[in-house]
Amino acid sequence: HPATVTGNNAHQVPKWLQEASRLLHSNQAVALPTETVYGLAANALCPEAVEKIYRLKNRPADNPLIIHVASLAMLRALLPDRRIPTVYKDLIARYWPGPLTLLMPRSALIPDVVTCGQATVAVRFPAHPVARAVIAYTGLPLAAPSANSSGKPSPTLAQHVWDDLRERVPLILDAGQCEWGIESTVVDGLRVSPAILRPGGVTLEQIQKVVGFRDCQVYRKNFTDSRLEQTPTTPGMKYRHYSPNAQVVLLERRTLSDDVHPLTNEQEEADYESSHKEFLQAAQNEMERLALTATPQGLTFGLLSVHPDRSLITTPIVPAHCQLHVRSMTDWSKDPTHSDQPCSRHLFKSFREFDQLGVHYILVEGTSEAHEGLALMNRLRKAATRTVYY
Ligand code: TXA
Ligand code: MG
């Protein structure tokens, strides 16, 4: 832990930090924790180093990377005229360091392989102490996508990075579970009307409260992935992402209004209890339907709830010869005083666990698209092969 950098041994740089720095300065890739997901980092200013990231992840060559910095001075050094666009002043003051990525004008310093020929470069100032320590100590801006194999769910544990990339990455820094468990919000404030290109840790509602972003919209929110497939100007959004091997079936409540967010207050929570029961009933119906199509060996199901474990009051009846594993995406209720914790922390981890358990179908509970529900539903829609309305 970087506490050792600033604690009693302020002059003693820990081994892991020295090793990370040595590797990054010799243009190797290093996996490191951020507050959103684990990243696979390399020197952003060296094309050969950045190319290694694409190769390791098997990432499509037209999907640009985010550059991570540890100070505004470091960002300024990357920009044309060394000026941070004034439109971002308040957003930066409020949400950096944090799970927010901002599109900046690109300077000649940034290699093509980082931006894939875009006129902009995406930049983030992460909050995680390990990520910050590595960037600050190496003094390098780090290009870093999520540290998964392309197409797999993003890694929220060091183990996930190991499972995907093994010894091909020379160093994985392990700092346990990522706080958010979902990637950063990508915002483009350079266009005529500001837009969120990817919903994430910082919510649309929070961004709309900031000067200059009142009219911020989610870019192409209602377009399906197949439409996006034909519009290569929207990098990243055109690929099917976050997919476990199991088929993901999204169970969405027809009447779920965008105004009712399940996790905000007691009354809404009571409403949510009843909608949760409906979800369990819908899941049971779906399991029965799918079981009819199964071989005599039966099927293995995963049930993924947005609500914390304690409210999985009734376990649905599992069809004959079938198996059921239950998981929850969130653990916020374990600390009721801290209700602003992300509700999707265990989403990607659960996908990976279900795959290890040999699950055939993952039945996921949908939620409203208000607040953190927007990023969650964005990831679920991308992962789902089918949506069932109930
Ligand atoms: O939370 C995060 O953002 C994590 C951690 C490691 O920082 N990183 C991450 O990176 O999720 P990645 O590469 O998995 O996703 C980056 C997204 C992609 O959808 C990419 O298309 C978009 O950002 N992006 C990057 N540069 C862009 C640009 N110049 N214009 C538009 N979109 C861009
Ligand atoms: Mg990614």
Side-chain angles (χ1 to χ4, degrees):
H1 194 274
T4 47
V5 182
T6 51
N8 294 336
N9 316 322
H11 303 293
Q12 215 180 308
V13 178
K15 269 257 164 60
W16 60 265
L17 189 48
Q18 290 180 31
E19 181 62 3
S21 175
R22 186 187 67 78
L23 288 164
L24 289 165
H25 278 287
S26 48
N27 297 328
Q28 302 288 309
V30 169
L32 46 75
T34 82
E35 71 277 24
T36 56
V37 300
Y38 277 78
L40 184 63
N43 179 1
L45 302 179
C46 171
E48 294 76 39
V50 177
E51 271 156 23
K52 281 193 184 127
I53 295 177
Y54 283 85
R55 249 181 286 138
L56 277 167
K57 275 185 60 103
N58 198 16
R59 183 181 178 99
D62 62 350
N63 194 5
L65 304 180
I66 297 171
I67 294 185
H68 297 68
V69 297
S71 69
L72 294 187
M74 202 171 193
L75 167 59
R76 277 189 203 102
L78 299 174
L79 297 176
D81 307 334
R82 306 196 155 233
R83 265 193 222 122
I84 301 174
T86 50
V87 63
Y88 291 132
K89 193 170 160 269
D90 289 5
L91 264 188
I92 287 175
R94 265 198 223 194
Y95 295 111
W96 272 8
L100 175 68
T101 296
L102 301 172
L103 292 203
M104 300 282 167
R106 176 199 175 179
S107 78
L109 271 177
I110 315 285
D112 248 338
V113 60
V114 172
T115 63
C116 304
Q118 306 277 317
T120 55
V121 57
V123 182
R124 180 159 105 79
F125 185 160
H128 198 289
V130 172
R132 288 177 70 168
V134 172
I135 303 163
Y137 183 68
T138 59
L140 297 172
L142 299 180
S146 48
N148 51 307
S149 287
S150 206
K152 285 270 169 84
S154 290
T156 57
L157 291 174
Q159 179 70 46
H160 299 159
V161 181
W162 172 253
D163 290 343
D164 280 13
L165 305 177
R166 299 275 154 175
E167 51 283 298
R168 282 180 289 147
V169 38
L171 180 66
I172 303 172
L173 297 177
D174 184 351
Q177 164 81 44
C178 296
E179 185 191 351
W180 289 88
I182 206 158
E183 302 87 346
S184 65
T185 307
V186 180
V187 171
D188 183 358
L190 303 177
R191 57 175 71 205
V192 179
S193 15
I196 290 181
L197 304 186
R198 177 180 72 181
V202 178
T203 67
L204 172 65
E205 290 85 347
Q206 288 173 322
I207 288 168
Q208 285 176 334
K209 283 196 191 117
V210 173
V211 179
F213 288 85
R214 193 151 48 100
D215 300 323
C216 187
Q217 295 299 321
V218 181
Y219 187 58
R220 296 183 175 223
K221 179 179 161 190
N222 297 317
F223 279 46
T224 65
D225 272 359
S226 62
R227 282 289 289 279
L228 287 175
E229 213 98 39
Q230 291 142 33
T231 55
T233 47
T234 321
M237 295 185 127
K238 63 178 180 159
Y239 301 105
R240 203 172 151 247
H241 271 70
Y242 321 113
S243 314
N245 297 325
Q247 301 268 309
V248 176
V249 182
L250 176 57
L251 299 176
E252 261 196 88
R253 196 170 170 231
R254 263 182 217 290
T255 51
L256 211 54
S257 140
D258 264 8
D259 314 327
V260 185
H261 184 245
L263 310 175
T264 44
N265 66 41
E266 266 173 42
Q267 180 51 46
E268 285 171 3
E269 211 183 308
D271 291 348
Y272 186 71
E273 296 290 347
S274 70
S275 88
H276 185 66
K277 282 191 190 137
E278 289 172 34
F279 160 66
L280 292 175
Q281 184 60 55
Q284 193 170 313
N285 296 345
E286 187 60 17
M287 282 193 287
E288 278 162 18
R289 207 187 63 75
L290 290 166
L292 291 177
T293 68
T295 59
Q297 296 96 292
L299 292 169
T300 305
F301 294 104
L303 189 76
L304 187 53
S305 166
V306 290
H307 220 52
D309 294 329
R310 67 166 167 79
S311 343
L312 290 172
I313 358 166
T314 42
T315 306
I317 301 160
V318 184
H321 312 297
C322 292
Q323 266 191 301
L324 176 66
H325 300 279
V326 178
R327 292 283 184 283
S328 170
M329 294 179 218
T330 171
D331 51 13
W332 65 266
S333 72
K334 283 176 190 149
D335 178 9
T337 57
H338 196 170
S339 63
D340 58 346
Q341 279 190 33
C343 66
S344 41
R345 181 180 290 173
H346 303 301
L347 168 70
F348 293 141
K349 185 175 81 176
S350 303
F351 278 173
R352 285 174 180 262
E353 285 175 0
F354 285 141
D355 274 348
Q356 287 194 327
L357 290 163
V359 164
H360 299 101
Y361 291 94
I362 302 173
L363 309 177
V364 195
E365 180 176 21
T367 185
S368 91
E369 293 191 321
H371 306 284
E372 62 265 59
L374 182 67
L376 175 59
M377 288 305 286
N378 171 271
R379 306 307 189 272
L380 291 182
R381 289 191 207 290
K382 283 179 181 239
T385 44
R386 206 154 57 83
T387 304
V388 172
Y389 295 95
Y390 63 93

